[in-house]
Amino acid sequence: MLYFVLKYLHLIGASVLLGTGAGIAFFMLLAHRTGRPDTIAAVARIVVLADFLFTATAVILQPVTGIALAWHVGYSLMEGWILLSLLLYGVTGAFWLPVVWMQMEMRRLAEVACKDVEPLPKRYHQLFRLWFAFGFPAFGAVLAIFWLMITRPAIEW
C-alpha cells in the first residue's frame, strides 16, 4: 500500500510541475501579447501566486516522494537514470528560481506602468525575452525527467 501512495503522490507532483509550468507559460505569453500593462499585471499576479502555491509545493515534495519511492522499491540513488533525473531536476530549478523572480519583477513593472499610465518600460521587455528563453531548458528538462521515470533506461556513469 505504501508503494502505491508514494507513487501516486510522486505522479501527482510531476503532473503539477508539468501542468502548472505549461499553464503559467501559456497565460504569461498571452498576457504579454496584449501589450497592455493592466492585463499583464493582473495575469502576473495570478501566475506568481500559482507558482508559490502549486509549483513550489510540488518542487519540495518531488524529491521527498521520489527518494522515498526509490528506497521503498530498492533502487539505489546511484542508478544512472535516477542520477540523471536528479541532475535535470537541478537544471530545472536553476532556471525556475530566476523565472519566479522575473515574473515578480515583470508584474511590478506592469503595475508601475498602469499607475503612471505609461507604456511598458524597456526593462520589462528585456525580462520577458529572458523569461521566455529560460522556459525552454526548464521545460525540456522536465520532459526528459518524465521520459527517464517512464523508461528507466540503463545509464552507466
Side-chain angles (χ1 to χ4, degrees), residues 121-153:
K122 182 179 177 183
R123 176 80 176 133
Y124 167 85
H125 295 285
Q126 291 169 334
L127 281 171
F128 181 82
R129 284 190 296 277
L130 193 58
W131 174 87
F132 189 80
F134 272 40
F136 288 98
F139 195 71
V142 169
L143 291 176
I145 293 168
F146 262 81
W147 180 81
L148 288 166
M149 293 293 124
I150 292 167
T151 62
R152 296 188 303 257

Side-chain angles (χ1 to χ4, degrees), residues 12-136:
I12 292 295
S15 300
V16 167
L17 283 177
L18 184 62
T20 305
I24 282 171
F26 177 76
F27 290 117
M28 281 295 288
L29 177 61
L30 290 184
H32 170 79
R33 292 196 55 198
T34 69
R36 296 183 46 178
D38 59 332
T39 301
I40 293 165
V43 170
R45 277 191 291 276
I46 295 166
V47 159
V48 168
L49 179 62
D51 246 342
F52 280 104
L53 288 177
F54 302 110
T55 312
T57 303
V59 163
I60 292 165
L61 291 177
Q62 277 309 99
V64 171
T65 58
I67 290 169
L69 189 57
W71 283 341
H72 184 72
V73 172
Y75 285 123
S76 166
L77 295 180
M78 293 298 157
E79 298 242 2
W81 64 274
I82 293 176
L83 283 174
L84 184 53
S85 296
L86 292 170
L87 177 69
L88 288 169
Y89 194 74
V91 167
T92 302
F95 283 95
W96 175 69
L97 287 171
V99 158
V100 173
W101 174 83
M102 286 180 226
Q103 289 168 175
M104 293 184 333
E105 184 63 10
M106 288 187 295
R107 175 194 63 195
R108 187 189 69 74
L109 292 169
E111 288 171 345
V112 168
C114 284
K115 185 176 74 73
D116 296 344
V117 192
E118 292 189 3
L120 294 162
K122 182 179 177 183
R123 176 80 176 133
Y124 167 85
H125 295 285
Q126 291 169 334
L127 281 171
F128 181 82
R129 284 190 296 277
L130 193 58
W131 174 87
F132 189 80
F134 272 40
F136 288 98

